[in-house]
Amino acid sequence: MAPNPSRPPLVTAPVLLLLVMAVLVIAGVLYTAARYFDAAEARRTCQRVEQMMGSAQNSLGLVLRDYAGWDATVTHIVDKMDMVWADENIGIYLAGGYRLSMTLVVDRKGQIIYGVEDGKRLSAARLQDFPLSDAMRRMIDQTVAALPGTTEAVTGVTRVGDTFYLTGAADIRPSLGGAARSDGAVLIFMQKLDRVAVARMLAPLLLEMIDIGIHPVSPEEARLPLREFGVAAEAPPVGWVGWRAPAPAVDFLAGIFWVLVLVLLALFGGTGHVLMRGQRAAQRETGANEALRHLSGRYRGLIDALPDMVCLLADGRVSLINAAGLSLLGLPADKASEVVGRPFLDLVAEGDRLIFHRALQVRGRSGVEWVTLSLVGSDGATVPMELAVLPVSGESVGEMTLVARDRRPELARRETVRAAETRAAVADRAKGQFLANISHELRTPLNAIIGFSEILRDELLGPLGVPQYREYAIDIHDGGLHLLRLVNDLLDIARMDAGTLELREGWVEVAPLIDRCERLLRQKAVERGVPVRLDVSPAGLRVLADEMRLKQIVVNLLGNAIRFSDAGQAVEVAVRLDGPTGDLLIDVADHGIGMNVDAMRIALEPFAQVEGGHNRRQPGAGLGLPLARGYAEAHGGSLTMQSTPALGTTVTVRLPANRVAGTPTVDN
């Protein structure tokens, strides 16, 4: 009888057993590798959390140093305790801008003389009862005891009761520096470290179950100890930051567990079929091996083509170097023997060897630190590099890993960026020229539109017959004049940018000019219920200026003051001479909505508008203030603004003394 061809071969059971063992081994290896990977990821996450905390401290220190080293802080806090100024500039103002939970000012006696908590000024009783922790006192002592010079901020973690704070302290000193004053004060910024604040701080790390507390978190979670400023490293922590330890590898394996089970079942079910067709499987395996060898060769070529140099150093000598490193030194891949065994210091340019020694001394102490130096190639030419030295984990003390990157592409990119910036500057000048040209071209048809609309409006060639036509002609004429004024303003802006603005100068009597400007805007002021007060002294002042543009300066400033004032809020225009310099000062002050520093900066930019306190956008092209400033600077003067939200704005135009005459003279 012929054998049954469908009978499974006897080798099926051993092969299945081997297959099961292989699957178990692979599963064990995968699980072990996943655990090791997750443990390494947890350590890296802890380092990132510590770095983020340090970065937050640095950011707080920079802001604190800027405000403690501000001359205005010395004047308004140390010389005179101006509570209103402190609220507007370092207290309530910073509470919202930088999420400061508390701002304190401490005098040399250790007493709190000013404080703001959560945007509200502390009462006298609260100031007296507020406890300064030992860590905060250490901060105060350290910043006060600093050597003469500009102020330096010290930052760290402090604890007040059961609440943690990210705290910084800096001695208030002038911007030019100096020694600590015996009657000085210390500025303290405090950011609360609660669960929400820590979660916001660590948001880029995408951690879960972030918490902060006095007692250690669950041992299953990752945690970072918090120690107050100035305590020893071995001192017990005052609190802990905890989060769910990331386990991406194990979570991934758990997510695909059932998929693997289904795959294994399908694999076992098809084993008999595979064994019965052994020859074809062998052929397929041979083809797969060939493809694998081909793929392995491609991977090896890809690794050798990497541009970064990787070296293994043993006692300062090269024990291993990749093909990319040999290529950067100008050597082929088969000439590694010319480098292996040599001290790596021989490959460093002589002038950069001290930098390399320092990199060896600090390796691994504060993460990866890159230094820039030059290596000497086989042809004697220097190659600029960026280099990092790391110790080899688990190996002898004398071994270390060296990674170097070729900086020549980066230097070439920088040169390309500089060239692009140059081209951008040329394009900006071309833009200004284009704006000037197109504005000039627009005025010709506009003048025609205005002229013909005047003929229709005044019916110079006879009656139009229909009254609406005359009304339409008036609208066309008014729109043309408005557009012509806008084009002229644009042309002046372009001329200012190009430095080609020309003035038609003559002696102008100041008082009549101010009166004409007031009459021009009187109807607008009456409609808004805003009284306008004029004060020109001394009488008879004359100024050498372009009368049309000087008039436009005053009209623009007075119009803005009326526009942003409510009924009953007076607008004052004062003309005076500056005693020390003899300059002419024109002040336009209102008591309207006012602006902060950022709003004033925006208001002086062409086409920019600032949302007013009435929560509405004011009409206009946004050219009034920029034109006024440009005209003032074209006369050799300046335009400055002082404003306080909800209190009003004062704009001052200064014209130099050499343009001012005290009594009227005959025009030149």
Side-chain angles (χ1 to χ4, degrees):
M1 175 183 276
N4 186 2
S6 62
R7 180 180 178 182
L10 298 177
V11 77
T12 302
V15 170
L16 290 177
L17 181 59
L18 289 176
L19 185 60
V20 171
M21 293 178 62
V23 169
L24 293 177
V25 170
I26 293 174
V29 170
L30 287 176
Y31 181 75
T32 302
R35 291 297 299 270
Y36 276 107
F37 179 84
D38 290 344
E41 183 66 21
R43 290 191 296 270
R44 287 192 293 270
T45 302
C46 191
Q47 293 174 356
R48 295 190 189 105
V49 170
E50 190 170 3
Q51 291 173 359
M52 294 291 284
M53 296 287 288
S55 176
Q57 292 187 32
N58 292 337
S59 299
L60 180 63
L62 291 175
V63 175
L64 177 59
R65 185 181 63 183
D66 289 343
Y67 279 87
W70 188 15
D71 291 335
T73 306
V74 178
T75 301
H76 293 279
I77 298 299
V78 177
D79 295 340
K80 55 179 181 179
M81 190 61 237
D82 188 344
M83 296 292 186
V84 176
W85 185 93
D87 289 343
E88 295 175 351
N89 293 273
I90 64 171
I92 300 173
Y93 174 74
L94 291 180
Y98 293 94
R99 294 192 177 96
L100 294 182
S101 303
M102 187 170 295
T103 300
L104 302 176
V105 177
V106 182
D107 61 13
R108 289 289 184 264
K109 297 179 182 179
Q111 300 296 321
I112 303 175
I113 59 176
Y114 173 79
V116 170
E117 183 176 13
D118 296 331
K120 297 180 180 180
R121 189 193 300 174
L122 298 177
S123 63
R126 176 61 173 159
L127 290 177
Q128 186 175 2
D129 296 339
F130 186 84
L132 288 177
S133 65
D134 293 339
M136 295 172 66
R137 294 187 184 278
R138 286 193 292 268
M139 287 183 174
I140 295 173
D141 294 340
Q142 180 170 332
T143 187
V144 172
L147 295 175
T150 56
T151 187
E152 291 296 334
V154 293
T155 59
V157 175
T158 61
R159 174 181 165 188
V160 179
D162 292 339
T163 305
F164 298 96
Y165 292 92
L166 191 62
T167 305
D171 186 46
I172 300 176
R173 300 186 185 182
S175 60
L176 297 179
R181 290 174 48 174
S182 59
D183 62 341
V186 174
L187 184 62
I188 298 176
F189 287 170
M190 302 174 67
Q191 291 180 341
K192 183 180 294 184
L193 289 178
D194 55 11
R195 180 182 300 175
V196 175
V198 174
R200 184 189 305 113
M201 185 186 305
L202 303 182
L205 301 182
L206 303 178
L207 301 178
E208 298 178 354
M209 300 174 62
I210 299 175
D211 198 2
I212 182 172
I214 299 175
H215 302 290
V217 294
S218 172
E220 290 79 13
E221 296 183 344
R223 58 191 182 184
L224 178 70
L226 296 177
R227 291 181 173 84
E228 285 195 294
F229 174 83
V231 301
E234 62 273 9
V238 296
W240 300 82
V241 175
W243 61 92
R244 179 182 178 271
V250 173
D251 292 344
F252 175 75
L253 291 179
I256 65 172
F257 173 76
W258 290 110
V259 176
L260 292 177
V261 169
L262 294 176
V263 171
L264 290 177
L265 291 176
L267 181 63
F268 291 147
T271 300
H273 179 71
V274 171
L275 293 176
M276 293 174 63
R277 306 182 62 179
Q279 184 63 34
R280 294 181 62 183
Q283 293 176 352
R284 288 195 297 270
E285 184 178 358
T286 301
N289 289 337
E290 289 296 330
L292 183 60
R293 283 193 294 270
H294 177 68
L295 185 59
S296 177
R298 292 181 61 185
Y299 285 158
R300 184 178 299 275
L302 179 62
I303 293 173
D304 288 340
L306 290 175
D308 292 347
M309 170 189 290
V310 179
C311 288
L312 183 64
L313 304 185
D315 295 327
R317 296 180 179 273
V318 179
S319 61
L320 180 66
I321 184 170
N322 66 341
L326 293 172
S327 177
L328 290 175
L329 296 176
L331 295 172
D334 57 352
K335 296 294 184 180
S337 59
E338 297 185 12
V339 178
V340 174
R342 292 180 56 188
F344 189 83
L345 189 63
D346 293 347
L347 304 177
V348 180
E350 186 174 353
D352 294 337
R353 292 182 178 179
L354 181 59
I355 298 176
F356 181 68
H357 277 298
R358 291 176 179 171
L360 293 179
Q361 294 172 0
V362 302
R363 65 184 184 275
R365 295 180 183 175
S366 58
V368 179
E369 294 189 5
W370 294 87
V371 297
T372 56
L373 46 76
S374 297
L375 300 182
V376 180
S378 60
D379 56 355
T382 58
V383 182
M385 306 290 289
E386 189 176 22
L387 181 143
V389 181
L390 299 173
V392 179
S393 177
E395 300 294 338
S396 59
V397 177
E399 289 194 349
M400 62 195 71
T401 303
L402 184 147
V403 180
R405 301 171 180 168
D406 189 355
R407 294 187 65 236
R408 287 175 294 186
E410 176 188 354
L411 297 176
R413 285 194 298 271
R414 291 183 181 179
E415 185 63 29
T416 302
V417 170
R418 282 195 291 270
E421 290 175 348
T422 302
R423 290 194 299 271
V426 173
D428 188 62
R429 289 194 296 271
K431 179 198 68 175
Q433 186 65 34
F434 169 77
L435 183 59
N437 292 338
I438 197 66
S439 299
H440 181 75
E441 293 298 329
L442 285 173
R443 288 198 299 178
T444 299
L446 280 175
N447 286 328
I449 292 172
I450 294 171
F452 288 129
S453 63
E454 286 180 352
I455 293 174
L456 295 174
R457 181 195 63 186
D458 299 335
E459 298 181 342
L460 298 179
L461 302 180
L464 297 177
V466 180
Q468 285 84 353
Y469 288 162
R470 186 174 183 276
E471 295 176 1
Y472 296 156
I474 293 173
D475 293 339
I476 294 173
H477 182 265
D478 293 343
L481 289 177
H482 175 75
L483 189 56
L484 182 60
R485 285 193 296 269
L486 181 59
V487 170
N488 289 334
D489 291 345
L490 288 173
L491 186 57
D492 280 350
I493 288 289
R495 288 169 176 167
M496 292 174 190
D497 291 339
T500 60
L501 182 66
E502 296 180 358
L503 301 178
R504 297 180 179 178
E505 297 180 336
W507 288 101
V508 180
E509 295 185 11
V510 178
L513 183 138
I514 299 296
D515 289 337
R516 289 197 300 273
C517 295
E518 188 274 335
R519 288 196 301 271
L520 197 63
L521 297 171
R522 182 176 299 169
Q523 182 61 32
K524 179 179 178 181
V526 171
E527 291 175 355
R528 294 187 59 83
V530 176
V532 179
R533 304 188 182 100
L534 306 181
D535 180 13
V536 181
S537 62
L541 283 176
R542 295 165 65 86
V543 62
L544 182 61
D546 186 324
E547 181 175 2
M548 181 185 70
R549 291 190 168 97
L550 182 59
K551 177 181 177 182
Q552 189 168 355
I553 291 175
V554 178
V555 169
N556 288 353
L557 299 182
L558 183 56
N560 280 347
I562 295 173
R563 182 187 309 167
F564 290 101
S565 298
D566 290 330
Q569 296 178 336
V571 173
E572 293 109 11
V573 181
V575 180
R576 54 191 171 88
L577 291 178
D578 188 11
T581 63
D583 295 344
L584 178 68
L585 302 180
I586 303 176
D587 296 329
V588 180
D590 65 70
H591 303 281
I593 60 177
M595 293 179 285
N596 56 27
V597 176
D598 291 336
M600 286 191 288
R601 175 182 55 78
I602 295 173
L604 290 172
E605 296 178 358
F607 308 106
Q609 287 189 340
V610 181
E611 291 295 335
H614 302 292
N615 196 23
R616 55 176 172 82
R617 181 171 294 276
Q618 296 289 349
L623 296 177
L625 282 175
L627 278 172
R629 182 176 66 173
Y631 291 152
E633 293 174 351
H635 285 81
S638 63
L639 182 146
T640 57
M641 298 178 64
Q642 293 181 346
S643 185
T644 302
L647 295 181
T649 302
T650 299
V651 182
T652 301
V653 176
R654 178 184 293 268
L655 298 180
N658 58 8
R659 289 182 172 272
V660 181
T663 57
T665 59
V666 178
D667 291 348
N668 294 332

